[in-house]
Amino acid sequence: MEKEIPEPGPFEALCSPVAVLPCTSDVHSAHFRNAWPNRILGHEGVGRVEKVGAMVTDIHVGDIVAVPAVTPIWRGRQIAEGLHEHTGGFLGGRYLSSKLDGTFGEYFIIPDADMNLAVVPNGVSIKAAGLVGDMVTTGFSGVEGANIQFGDTVVVIGIGPVGLMSVAGAAIRGAGRLIAVGHRELTKELAKKYGATDVVDYKDGDIVAQIMELTNNEKVDRVIIAGGTESTINDAYRMVKCGGNISNVAGYDFSKEFHLTVADAGCLVNHVTLTGRLCAGGRYRLENLMALIKNGRLDPTLLITHELHGFDKIEDGFRMMDERKTPDTIKPIVII
Ligand code: NDP
Ligand code: ZN
């Protein structure tokens, strides 16, 4: 669609896309949500700063910047509460492709540019920078919710790009035994590269039984959910020990329901902590994640299975994510 080039407000930046990555969430938005009609999709990528508002001080025209999926205005009550992801209400920190047009346009606005954009440092590739704003930060948010202690047995359920980054993050956080649950050969291989000690295939039967066999019936310390179905939460409760953690970052279809039985949930007196998070956003977060990459602790680029070139290939990239016709698609990138 054709739109006017937007004018940045005092604290905003106007960017053009350098590279964009289609996401599972773009597919969900396109299929299930029409709360924002005629909205341009896209919330992942790297941009070039084209214009800045009068109050922007740290970001300059020409900067190449990593774009976070969550770009709140860093003012207001939820910021004071430490909940930047949900400023102004549920999902409120997500502006791109909802309250504002997203990264799949020739130009896009970033609110609160000094607080949200992270200049890509030397030693971090465009591809790696494109992955930090959602895939890395979401996978790592799952890890943060799981309260991992050194040597813990950690299970990551779902090893698409997000879950693979949870595997990588759990390894960095000191997991002992690290069990990844997936199906496709490519993702299982990558899980091992990112630090999984064991891999379980959810198509080989009940994953709880498979994991209990691996651990000699000992329940696990932490479970991160980054894929699966509405009943994966039940599996997580059935495999986690008393006092353990379940941390969800997977998205679900709003029309579905969870059916948590009292028995599976340990009567809710088992001291298990269940939490769920939207990916952390903003400049500080992305600068820290890029420090891990720059210093050789993390290489997210193994996630990129397809590289397309040119603005007019964004739709092809989106269709790749949507249709997943090939078993070898993890994450496409479109270099503009
Ligand atoms: P993918 O669809 O690429 O990955 C999901 C993975 O789950 C796949 O690898 C799939 O394995 C696996 N899976 C499917 N069914 C099962 C099952 N029954 N048991 C175990 N694993 C299963 O998605 P992404 O990695 O891109 O994203 C993961 C989730 O995170 C999505 O739900 C997405 O919406 C959500 N998300 C949440 C964000 C947040 O802020 N909280 C931000 C971004 C994404 P296989 O392919 O081998 O079949
Ligand atoms: Zn995304």
Side-chain angles (χ1 to χ4, degrees), residues 21-26 43-44 69 94 133-135 138 162 279 331:
L21 298 92
C23 176
T24 315
S25 308
D26 291 313
H43 54 267
E44 297 181 21
R94 268 197 72 160
D134 194 353
M135 298 301 96
T138 304
V162 169
C279 56
K331 193 79 182 171

Coordinates of all heavy atoms in Angstrom, one line a residue, residues 21-26 43-44 69 94 133-135 138 162 279 331, ligand 2:
L21 N 13.3 -9.2 9.2 CA 13.1 -10.6 9.4 C 11.6 -10.9 9.7 O 11.1 -10.3 10.6 CB 13.9 -11.1 10.6 CG 15.4 -11.0 10.4 CD1 15.9 -9.7 11.0 CD2 16.2 -12.2 11.0
P22 N 11.0 -11.7 8.8 CA 9.6 -12.0 9.1 C 9.5 -13.0 10.3 O 10.4 -13.8 10.5 CB 9.2 -12.8 7.8 CG 10.2 -12.6 6.8 CD 11.5 -12.3 7.6
C23 N 8.4 -12.9 11.0 CA 8.3 -13.6 12.3 C 7.0 -14.4 12.4 O 6.1 -14.0 11.7 CB 8.4 -12.6 13.4 SG 8.1 -13.2 15.1
T24 N 7.1 -15.4 13.2 CA 5.8 -16.2 13.5 C 4.7 -15.3 13.9 O 3.6 -15.4 13.6 CB 6.1 -17.2 14.6 OG1 7.4 -17.9 14.3 CG2 5.0 -18.3 14.7
S25 N 5.1 -14.2 14.7 CA 4.1 -13.3 15.2 C 3.5 -12.5 14.0 O 2.3 -12.1 14.1 CB 4.7 -12.3 16.2 OG 5.3 -13.0 17.2
D26 N 4.2 -12.1 13.0 CA 3.7 -11.5 11.8 C 2.6 -12.3 11.2 O 1.5 -11.8 10.7 CB 4.7 -11.2 10.7 CG 5.7 -10.1 11.2 OD1 5.3 -9.1 11.7 OD2 6.9 -10.3 11.0
H43 N 8.3 -6.3 12.8 CA 8.8 -5.7 14.0 C 10.2 -6.1 14.3 O 10.7 -6.0 15.4 CB 7.8 -6.0 15.2 CG 7.7 -7.5 15.3 ND1 6.6 -8.2 14.6 CD2 8.4 -8.5 15.9 CE1 6.8 -9.5 14.8 NE2 7.8 -9.7 15.6
E44 N 10.9 -6.7 13.3 CA 12.2 -7.2 13.5 C 13.1 -6.6 12.4 O 12.7 -6.5 11.3 CB 12.3 -8.7 13.4 CG 11.5 -9.4 14.5 CD 11.7 -11.0 14.4 OE1 12.6 -11.4 13.8 OE2 10.8 -11.6 14.9
A69 N 11.6 -5.4 19.1 CA 10.1 -5.6 18.8 C 9.3 -4.8 19.8 O 8.2 -4.4 19.4 CB 9.8 -7.1 18.9
R94 N 4.4 -2.7 22.6 CA 4.6 -3.1 21.2 C 3.9 -2.1 20.3 O 2.7 -2.2 20.1 CB 4.0 -4.5 21.0 CG 5.1 -5.6 21.2 CD 4.7 -6.9 20.6 NE 4.8 -6.9 19.1 CZ 4.9 -7.9 18.4 NH1 4.9 -9.1 19.0 NH2 4.9 -7.8 17.1
G133 N 16.5 -8.1 18.4 CA 15.3 -7.4 18.8 C 14.1 -8.3 19.1 O 13.2 -7.8 19.8
D134 N 14.1 -9.5 18.7 CA 13.0 -10.4 19.0 C 13.5 -11.8 19.3 O 13.3 -12.3 20.5 CB 12.0 -10.4 17.9 CG 10.6 -11.0 18.3 OD1 10.6 -11.6 19.5 OD2 9.7 -11.0 17.6
M135 N 14.1 -12.5 18.4 CA 14.5 -13.9 18.6 C 15.3 -14.1 19.9 O 15.1 -14.9 20.8 CB 15.1 -14.5 17.4 CG 14.3 -14.5 16.2 SD 12.7 -15.5 16.4 CE 11.6 -14.2 16.8
T138 N 13.6 -12.6 23.2 CA 12.4 -13.4 23.6 C 12.9 -14.7 24.2 O 12.5 -15.1 25.3 CB 11.5 -13.7 22.4 OG1 11.1 -12.5 21.9 CG2 10.3 -14.5 22.9
V162 N 13.0 -19.0 18.6 CA 12.9 -18.5 20.0 C 13.5 -19.5 21.0 O 14.3 -19.3 21.8 CB 11.5 -18.1 20.3 CG1 11.3 -17.8 21.8 CG2 11.1 -16.9 19.5
C279 N 8.6 -10.3 25.2 CA 10.1 -10.1 25.1 C 10.5 -8.7 25.6 O 9.8 -7.7 25.3 CB 10.5 -10.3 23.6 SG 9.7 -9.2 22.4
K331 N 14.6 -19.4 10.0 CA 14.4 -17.9 10.0 C 14.9 -17.3 8.7 O 16.1 -17.4 8.5 CB 15.1 -17.3 11.2 CG 14.8 -15.9 11.5 CD 13.4 -15.8 12.3 CE 13.1 -14.4 12.5 NZ 11.7 -14.2 13.0
Ligands
ZN2 ZN 9.0 -11.3 16.0

